[in-house]
């Protein structure tokens, strides 16, 4: 029953915002809205929506569900988040960024009763040219009832250099580790990323054959 | 007489700049469609903007202005800085934006 309610909530968020988030930038551009959703190989579902009044700051909310394949437990967190672009390097043919964020939310799970206040902090470092993309992201959640961290590394290569209004194609290798008894070992995935205009879609499979899908819309 | 000539030249130069058909900007950090999207959104907020071209390949942003209108260099620099990018150079010319667009497309072939 609980999972049904959770599923409905996720669906509502997915529909209302159109979709989460790994390695996509939490701030796309000034006066821009970013909606993201990710399905992570049966372990993670996350949906987020942010509005950025400037290119250095965005705020919004999200929903995170984690299903442990070790302890057979689920955890859901609904949260509000602020993202800050701490540093940007605009190079001749490249850009590099440091993003940091913090969240407050309510966490529920089948390992404890009721809900708990949960706190979050994270960062992302990325470097991008029109042919190479590299990113490192870490996302830590803490509450009196649970603690976990999700670390993700992505390396992308584009077979051709896209221009504005072209379809951009990327082949991405991703490695991800979860702490907090969510998933044992490193989960690797091969992804195909396509984006055009304000729409970004990414899909692939993990090393154990599970699907991973992510979508992002900027407008 | 010399002073008058200098003033006339100066005013002619100002007038030429004020009616420039196209403003081209070399921009650093321009690597993805989202960058271009943010810059386009920002530049279209100017009343004087008629149309624009963004080229990731040339790291170029070109704006054409409406007849008799102009956007100052400082305003353009501020707009692109506020969008998160670095302007390296600004050039003004009477070349129409369509010619810039053709030049950009030709460089991709």
């Amino acid at each position: 029953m609980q999972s049904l309610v959770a599923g409905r909530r996720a669906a509502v968020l997915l529909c209302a915002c159109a979709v989460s988030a790994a390695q996509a930038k939490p701030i796309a551009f000034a006066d821009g809205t970013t909606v993201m959703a990710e399905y992570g190989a049966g372990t993670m579902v996350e949906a987020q929506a942010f509005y950025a009044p400037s290119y250095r700051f965005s705020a919004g909310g999200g929903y995170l569900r984690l299903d442990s394949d070790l302890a057979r437990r689920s955890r859901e967190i609904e949260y509000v988040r602020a993202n800050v672009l701490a540093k940007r390097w605009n190079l001749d043919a490249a850009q590099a960024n440091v993003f940091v964020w913090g969240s407050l939310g309510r966490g529920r799970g089948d390992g404890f009763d009721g809900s708990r206040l949960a706190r979050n902090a994270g960062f992302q470092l990325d470097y991008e040219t029109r042919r190479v993309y590299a990113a490192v992201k870490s996302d830590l959640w803490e509450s009196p009832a649970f603690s976990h961290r999700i670390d993700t590394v992505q390396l992308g290569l584009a077979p051709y250099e896209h221009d504005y209004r072209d379809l951009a194609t990327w082949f991405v290798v991703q490695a991800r580790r979860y702490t907090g008894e969510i998933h044992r070992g490193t989960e690797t995935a091969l992804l195909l990323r396509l984006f055009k205009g304000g729409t970004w879609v990414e899909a692939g499979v993990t090393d154990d054959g599970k699907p991973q899908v992510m979508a992002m819309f900027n407008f | 007489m010399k002073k008058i000539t200098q003033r006339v030249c100066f005013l002619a130069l100002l007038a030429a700049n004020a009616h420039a058909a196209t403003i081209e900007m070399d921009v650093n950090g321009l690597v993805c469609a989202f960058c271009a999207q943010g810059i386009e959104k920002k530049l279209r907020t100017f009343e004087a903007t008629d149309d624009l071209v963004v080229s990731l390949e040339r790291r170029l942003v070109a704006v054409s202005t409406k007849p008799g209108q102009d956007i100052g260099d400082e305003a353009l620099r501020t707009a692109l800085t506020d969008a998160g990018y670095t302007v390296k150079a600004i050039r003004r010319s009477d070349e129409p934006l369509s010619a810039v667009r053709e030049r950009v497309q030709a460089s991709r072939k």
Side-chain angles (χ1 to χ4, degrees):
Chain A
M1 184 62 190
Q2 197 176 17
S3 66
L4 188 67
V5 172
R8 256 191 214 153
R9 280 202 181 113
V12 166
L13 257 174
L14 290 176
C15 293
C17 308
V19 203
S20 160
Q23 288 2 38
K25 294 175 173 61
I27 309 170
F29 47 79
D31 192 28
T33 300
T34 299
V35 175
M36 302 188 270
E38 181 179 12
Y39 173 82
T43 306
M44 178 178 82
V45 172
E46 186 164 31
Q48 299 175 323
F50 300 117
Y51 172 72
S54 94
Y55 80 99
R56 288 192 169 277
F57 174 77
S58 73
Y63 166 86
L64 172 66
R65 179 187 169 91
L66 295 166
D67 292 297
S68 167
D69 60 357
L70 297 176
R72 299 213 169 275
R73 281 191 210 142
S74 294
R75 185 176 298 160
E76 290 176 90
I77 308 169
E78 286 144 4
Y79 58 86
V80 292
R81 175 171 292 180
N83 302 292
V84 173
L85 171 61
K87 180 72 182 169
R88 168 170 288 176
W89 291 269
N90 284 320
L91 310 170
D92 272 353
Q95 187 186 89
N97 299 287
V98 180
F99 293 98
V100 294
W101 56 84
S103 317
L104 280 176
R106 299 298 300 182
R108 296 181 307 283
D110 44 18
F112 54 96
D113 294 328
S115 66
R116 300 282 194 280
L117 178 69
R119 305 175 302 271
N120 159 260
F123 72 88
Q124 176 175 317
L125 315 176
D126 60 56
Y127 172 83
E128 184 178 7
T129 70
R130 290 198 297 143
R131 291 300 289 269
V132 177
Y133 174 77
V136 178
K137 178 183 173 183
S138 186
D139 198 33
L140 171 70
W141 279 97
E142 293 274 353
S143 89
F146 61 83
S147 168
H148 70 254
R149 199 180 74 236
I150 307 170
D151 299 326
T152 310
V153 176
Q154 284 193 338
L155 180 63
L157 291 172
Y160 58 91
E161 291 184 325
H162 71 284
D163 214 313
Y164 188 32
R165 302 191 195 285
D166 289 349
L167 174 70
T169 304
W170 290 83
F171 298 108
V172 179
V173 181
Q174 176 181 291
R176 180 175 280 168
R177 288 183 74 91
Y178 296 86
T179 67
E181 294 193 324
I182 291 167
H183 181 84
R184 181 175 292 137
T186 303
E187 177 190 85
T188 56
L190 285 173
L191 305 163
L192 173 65
R193 172 183 299 166
L194 302 170
F195 64 87
K196 185 173 180 174
T199 302
W200 162 316
V201 179
E202 189 175 281
V205 288
T206 59
D207 48 353
D208 51 1
K210 293 178 178 169
Q212 170 144 339
V213 182
M214 187 258 190
M216 177 168 77
F217 304 94
N218 288 305
F219 48 92
Chain B
M1 185 64 190
K2 193 178 170 188
K3 272 188 176 175
I4 293 170
T5 309
Q6 279 176 338
R7 279 181 189 163
V8 167
C9 289
F10 179 70
L11 288 172
L13 194 66
L14 273 183
N17 277 338
H19 296 96
T22 304
I23 309 163
E24 291 185 46
M25 290 167 278
D26 297 328
V27 180
N28 270 7
L30 201 50
V31 291
C32 72
F34 298 151
C35 313
Q37 197 183 356
I39 287 172
E40 178 167 6
K41 191 168 184 176
K42 193 81 183 177
L43 290 176
R44 287 203 186 276
T45 62
F46 286 106
E47 178 69 30
T49 300
D50 182 44
D51 197 5
L52 56 89
V53 169
V54 181
S55 166
L56 305 184
E57 168 79 28
R58 302 284 292 262
R59 300 165 215 157
L60 177 77
V61 177
V63 189
S64 62
T65 53
K66 291 175 184 164
Q69 296 189 41
D70 188 34
I71 309 169
D73 286 9
E74 202 49 48
L76 289 166
R77 274 185 200 283
T78 303
L80 267 77
T81 304
D82 287 351
Y85 302 91
T86 308
V87 179
K88 286 182 72 180
I90 300 178
R91 296 179 296 279
R92 289 160 186 272
S93 74
D94 286 327
E95 185 181 33
L97 193 69
S98 57
V100 176
R101 190 173 278 123
E102 279 167 20
R103 193 173 4 116
V104 163
Q105 283 168 353
S107 70
R108 299 186 61 197
K109 286 172 186 169

